[in-house]
Amino acid sequence: MFDYSLDDTIIAVSTPLGRGGIGIVRLSGDSALPIALKIFRPKKAGSRILPGRAVLGNLVDPERKEPFEEAYLIHFRAPHSYTTQSVVEISCHGSPVVLEEVLRLGTRFGARLARPGEFTFRAYRGGRIDILQAEAVDDLIRAPNIEAARKAFGHLDGGLSARMAGLRRRIVEILGLIEAAIEFPDEKLPVSPRNIEAGLEEMTGYLDALIAGYDAGRALLEGVTLAIVGRANVGKSTLFNALLAHERAIVTPFPGTTRDFLREKVRIKDVDFNLVDMAGLRRAATAVEKEGIRRSREIAAQADGILFLFDASKKDFEEDLTLLDEFKDKKAVLVFNKIDLGRKPDLGKVRARIGRRPFLEISALRGTNLERLKAAISKTFAPRNVDRGDVIFHLWQKLALEDMGARLRRAKRLLSDGHPEEMYVEEIREIVPALGRFLGEIRSDDVLADIFGRFCVGK
Ligand SMILES: Nc1nc2c(ncn2[C@@H]2O[C@H](COP(=O)(O)OP(=O)(O)OP(=O)(O)O)[C@@H](O)[C@H]2O)c(=O)[nH]1
Ligand SMILES: [Mg+2]
């Protein structure tokens, strides 16, 4: 069971470990100020500690009298603080030795060392933020780029919570309609199954858009993984280098050059891609190459998408197309490379085999059409709703939303199959507590442990 007590006063260093210009120790709880005042002496004797106002003073170990540091102290009175409890921040120099001494003295006078995420947990339990906002604190701190930070801040600011609350209002409304239809079967109600169905449809669409926002979230946090796939010697490593704009991979005229895969980040039109160059897929000549190929297949299968390379100077693409068949279900851009060699590939024949997937002709060696390729990569693989719409960052959120979506769909199916309201009302009723869990109003220890376990101490 997940259990952080709320009653005692906690203390932690809230700035990163290590040396820096400033280090901040934070206390939260009823005794925060009395404990802090055991070791903090205002420079101006007798000055009052007013909430929200910085007071300059010295830090002292009362047993030794002599100060060991100078610091600002700020008191935030409950409930107007980060945690909603009485909070004190002591800002001193970012010296690990000094910060540790403040912790030692703080615990000597009754504070307890805080556990990971415990300040934010208190903010959540104090009702200042919900669970989505609490999680967004950690997302904001960890954001690898400003777009991810903006999205995380939007969640922290309550944007996602407000939309989920709106969703719940709609669900409750629809539930009301269905329950009215059950209760008063004979009366002429202003609702028809069609009304209800339309409502369910709208909610399903809304949930689906949110669920799709998980891919966008993952892309913001981790980047989109793109594997460069093709037979040996088609120019994969040359293209890899061209997209990275530096000679990262070894290129030789001999097939079977690349064995170990190479992974590099490259930013294409504001999205981070993890580009993977790997062994060409062919019947391997050696055990080393065989292992390289085995790993390549594995990586390609797990990638978010593939760039499938052909050597356009070749006449026959039969083997390439057979290989391409292995990746039927992958998002792909098909690339005919080496067009500088002047032989026009007979695309008529292959077109029927490649379906509707985008394809283009390039020269990785000369850089021909590289910009067009980047545009195609962006269009095909960049997550759609990064700019507009919601992004979600966590698998538990996606799974919870999928579960609600499945209930809506089941209800809609029962409804359109002509079943009476009693048959499907339960599915929809269940969504209300599911949304409560999503917002953290109904406690779910698994979710709490997952979220706060990820935080570092001091947050
Ligand atoms: N003319 C021309 N040659 C190219 C082009 N792209 C690659 N090559 C040449 O093709 C040969 C193979 O290139 P690589 O990039 O090593 O091919 P690869 O697909 O990585 O090969 P493996 O790692 O062996 O699977 C080299 O001699 C390259 O210079 C191109 O656009 N035009
Ligand atoms: Mg290579």
Side-chain angles (χ1 to χ4, degrees):
M1 158 130 167
F2 185 85
D3 207 10
Y4 280 1
S5 107
L6 300 170
D7 305 327
D8 45 4
T9 295
I10 51 174
I11 188 169
V13 178
S14 285
T15 40
L17 293 176
R19 300 185 169 82
I22 292 176
I24 297 179
V25 173
R26 181 158 59 172
L27 295 107
S28 174
D30 286 344
S31 309
L33 191 57
I35 292 172
L37 290 179
K38 294 261 199 235
I39 59 171
F40 179 88
R41 305 257 186 283
K43 294 257 189 191
K44 246 191 259 156
S47 41
R48 286 177 51 214
I49 311 286
L50 297 171
R53 294 276 278 278
V55 183
L56 185 62
N58 283 331
L59 299 179
V60 282
D61 175 349
E63 273 176 12
R64 316 185 87 202
K65 303 279 183 331
E66 167 197 358
F68 62 90
E69 167 67 309
E70 186 174 75
Y72 276 106
L73 178 148
I74 306 181
H75 177 225
F76 299 90
R77 206 162 40 187
H80 307 290
S81 73
Y82 184 76
T83 60
T84 75
Q85 301 180 316
S86 174
V87 166
V88 169
E89 285 181 13
I90 297 172
S91 312
C92 46
H93 293 104
S95 150
V97 178
V98 165
L99 293 167
E100 189 149 321
E101 180 68 357
V102 177
L103 291 189
R104 187 182 70 82
L105 293 169
T107 53
R108 162 125 61 89
F109 293 114
R112 164 172 70 73
L113 291 178
R115 289 190 250 164
E118 202 167 0
F119 289 92
T120 307
F121 178 74
R122 289 186 173 196
Y124 157 64
R125 288 300 300 278
R128 194 175 65 75
I129 54 176
D130 64 31
I131 203 73
L132 297 177
Q133 293 171 299
E135 189 157 49
V137 171
D138 192 48
D139 296 335
L140 181 62
I141 291 168
R142 290 177 193 272
N145 50 52
I146 188 66
E147 294 88 352
R150 282 206 179 95
K151 291 294 180 189
F153 180 71
H155 294 181
L156 178 56
D157 211 24
L160 183 58
S161 311
R163 280 187 283 278
M164 295 312 289
L167 176 67
R168 177 163 53 190
R169 271 196 303 279
R170 278 293 281 143
I171 297 278
V172 169
E173 245 172 66
I174 296 171
L175 204 53
L177 295 180
I178 302 170
E179 279 168 350
I182 295 174
E183 197 109 353
F184 311 105
D186 304 324
E187 291 177 40
K188 262 248 158 291
L189 290 169
V191 303
S192 65
R194 187 146 303 173
N195 281 151
I196 297 173
E197 195 167 352
L200 295 182
E201 182 98 41
E202 184 199 329
M203 291 304 98
T204 314
Y206 185 72
L207 279 174
D208 285 347
L210 268 177
I211 292 164
Y214 179 69
D215 287 339
R218 233 176 42 100
L220 278 180
L221 294 184
E222 295 161 23
V224 179
T225 300
L226 264 192
I228 306 182
V229 180
R231 294 172 63 201
N233 216 42
V234 293
K236 297 180 298 298
S237 300
T238 308
L239 176 61
F240 181 71
N241 291 341
L243 287 170
L244 296 179
H246 89 109
E247 299 299 311
R248 173 71 179 82
I250 298 174
V251 169
T252 75
F254 310 108
T257 303
T258 308
R259 275 97 184 270
D260 277 339
F261 65 87
L262 301 165
R263 179 193 297 267
E264 291 290 336
K265 246 195 176 80
V266 59
R267 211 170 161 74
I268 299 176
K269 304 208 191 295
D270 291 336
V271 174
D272 285 329
F273 286 91
N274 305 305
L275 210 56
V276 189
D277 177 29
M278 43 198 222
L281 302 180
R282 63 165 185 171
R283 224 185 335 242
T286 66
V288 182
E289 198 184 349
K290 195 174 267 168
E291 178 58 16
I293 290 173
R294 190 190 66 74
R295 293 184 187 194
S296 296
R297 283 209 155 83
E298 206 172 279
I299 289 165
Q302 284 167 6
D304 297 308
I306 60 173
L307 293 179
F308 192 94
L309 236 63
F310 297 80
D311 180 343
S313 69
K314 292 274 173 353
K315 270 213 205 73
D316 178 17
F317 298 115
E318 198 45 47
E319 275 188 47
D320 306 83
L321 290 168
T322 309
L323 185 58
L324 180 61
D325 283 342
E326 281 181 35
F327 302 98
K328 269 204 180 70
D329 301 325
K330 277 273 161 210
K331 265 201 225 170
V333 168
L334 312 187
V335 183
F336 292 85
N337 186 34
K338 307 196 190 184
I339 53 164
D340 57 289
L341 292 178
R343 192 176 287 155
K344 264 277 177 216
D346 178 7
L347 291 180
K349 268 197 206 148
V350 297
R351 201 164 285 187
R353 299 275 298 273
I354 64 182
R356 286 219 296 276
R357 302 199 254 200
F359 69 92
L360 64 172
E361 300 171 21
I362 69 162
S363 165
L365 189 65
R366 301 267 166 82
T368 315
N369 283 345
L370 222 51
E371 287 309 312
R372 280 185 48 206
L373 175 59
K374 286 183 190 168
I377 289 174
S378 166
K379 186 155 176 257
T380 311
F381 305 111
R384 298 229 177 289
N385 46 349
V386 169
D387 288 342
R388 298 169 297 113
D390 276 311
V391 156
I392 57 174
F393 288 125
H394 301 284
L395 188 60
W396 78 267
Q397 297 174 339
K398 180 184 183 220
L399 297 176
L401 293 168
E402 280 176 346
D403 183 59
M404 297 177 214
R407 287 183 189 286
L408 283 177
R409 269 183 248 280
R410 276 198 296 273
K412 223 180 88 207
R413 202 166 42 241
L414 290 168
L415 170 66
S416 50
D417 288 352
H419 290 284
E421 288 83 2
E422 288 87 343
M423 294 282 292
Y424 60 83
V425 68
E426 205 50 42
E427 294 284 2
I428 298 171
R429 243 184 233 139
E430 278 298 313
I431 297 176
V432 179
L435 278 163
R437 279 191 296 277
F438 198 90
L439 288 160
E441 294 162 356
I442 300 173
R443 242 180 101 140
S444 158
D445 285 343
D446 290 350
V447 168
L448 292 182
D450 176 52
I451 292 173
F452 290 100
R454 245 183 286 126
F455 274 74
C456 351
V457 172
K459 308 296 185 301

